[in-house]
Amino acid sequence: EAFRPSEAVSSLSMFRRVLSFAILTNVTGLTTTISPWSPSSWKLSLDIGREPGTEMPKAWGESGARLVLPIEVTVSSDESNLRDNLVGSGSLSIRPEKDARFINSSGEQRVSVKEGGWSFEYPKGGKGHAAKLQFWLDLESPSSRNDVTLPVGRLYFVASCWRQDELEIGSRIIAPLVYDAREAQKLVEDRVSHEGGDRRLDGTDPIETMLGYKDIAALILDRDNKIR
């Protein structure tokens, strides 16, 4: 439903980020690879028109016309640099892959769509309740079909999804991955620690220091691979 209303990762934030994306991809079967950190391609189909109970002006969509706007997006586990008060802080990235296209009386039209963010809220009240998926995208160009118009601005999407038992499945799937990521982060921190870290990094021997930095770079690369 669309509506328009008037580098160290902490263990908790990492777990929430990975759990969100693991559930979003694995439970729904939309993964592009076997990793829950991998981006997933979605095709959204916006079906815009007059609905019962709408607060839109009486003349808007009165003809019964529909504006169908397909938008192909990449849903990512990367944290979004954008912020939105409705979706909340800590949202992850959702990026349009190309302009949306539709046909009206003037022929094929292109609509520019800008990156947004997504998140989900855990279900409240136990196994009988569903979580809530929410995200936004920004339209940078207006679109219209007959008397249905969609102006430039932010579009919000909200849907119920995944009950408690499905979330538990997602948690079990990613538990080994979260453990490996935490251990890789801990190993990096231990090696660069001033108290008990790799003494080669002190710089007293240039060759040993170079080898020490090489080893640290390998550990950081391994750490980054485990949290992506």
Side-chain angles (χ1 to χ4, degrees):
E1 177 187 0
F3 63 98
R4 192 185 301 272
S6 319
E7 141 163 26
V9 181
S10 71
S11 296
L12 178 59
S13 65
M14 178 177 66
F15 179 80
R16 289 177 63 88
R17 167 181 160 188
V18 178
L19 177 59
S20 298
F21 201 66
I23 293 166
L24 185 62
T25 55
N26 282 296
V27 171
T28 57
L30 294 171
T31 47
T32 53
T33 75
I34 60 174
S35 171
W37 282 269
S38 299
S40 180
S41 294
W42 287 23
K43 184 174 182 180
L44 307 174
S45 184
L46 280 62
D47 188 349
I48 309 296
R50 195 166 191 87
E51 300 290 344
T54 182
E55 296 183 1
M56 296 299 288
K58 182 179 179 180
W60 187 91
E62 190 175 24
S63 68
R66 309 294 296 188
L67 170 60
V68 178
L69 195 63
I71 304 176
E72 296 180 18
V73 298
T74 297
V75 183
S76 169
S77 61
D78 295 333
E79 291 188 13
S80 174
N81 294 323
L82 306 173
R83 294 292 179 267
D84 181 86
N85 292 332
L86 181 65
V87 174
S89 60
S91 61
L92 308 182
S93 177
I94 176 169
R95 300 183 182 94
E97 296 176 357
K98 55 187 177 182
D99 287 349
R101 298 185 181 188
F102 73 100
I103 296 176
N104 61 15
S105 59
S106 300
E108 185 179 72
Q109 307 296 316
R110 300 170 71 100
V111 180
S112 176
V113 187
K114 189 178 178 181
E115 176 183 350
W118 71 270
S119 67
F120 83 95
E121 293 183 1
Y122 289 89
K124 301 174 182 178
K127 292 188 176 181
H129 295 77
K132 183 171 69 172
L133 172 66
Q134 50 193 3
F135 62 96
W136 85 86
L137 293 167
D138 285 332
L139 297 184
E140 295 194 303
S141 52
S143 54
S144 63
R145 185 172 183 271
N146 298 346
D147 54 356
V148 176
T149 59
L150 198 58
V152 171
R154 181 157 292 185
L155 283 177
Y156 292 92
F157 304 79
V158 178
S160 297
C161 57
W162 316 305
R163 299 188 185 279
Q164 186 66 38
D165 54 349
E166 294 171 317
L167 293 172
E168 291 171 358
I169 292 172
S171 297
R172 290 195 296 270
I173 289 172
I174 68 164
L177 302 175
V178 172
Y179 175 81
D180 289 345
R182 286 173 174 168
E183 289 299 303
Q185 174 67 25
K186 183 176 183 300
L187 185 55
V188 170
E189 293 173 352
D190 290 344
R191 286 293 183 92
V192 300
S193 169
H194 291 293
E195 289 77 19
D198 191 339
R199 296 273 67 87
R200 294 178 299 172
L201 303 179
D202 291 343
T204 55
D205 185 320
I207 294 179
E208 287 299 316
T209 298
M210 181 180 67
L211 294 174
Y213 277 115
K214 180 180 178 181
D215 290 345
I216 290 296
L219 291 176
I220 291 175
L221 178 61
D222 179 65
R223 187 273 318 270
D224 289 349
N225 287 334
K226 285 183 167 63
I227 64 175
R228 291 187 184 277

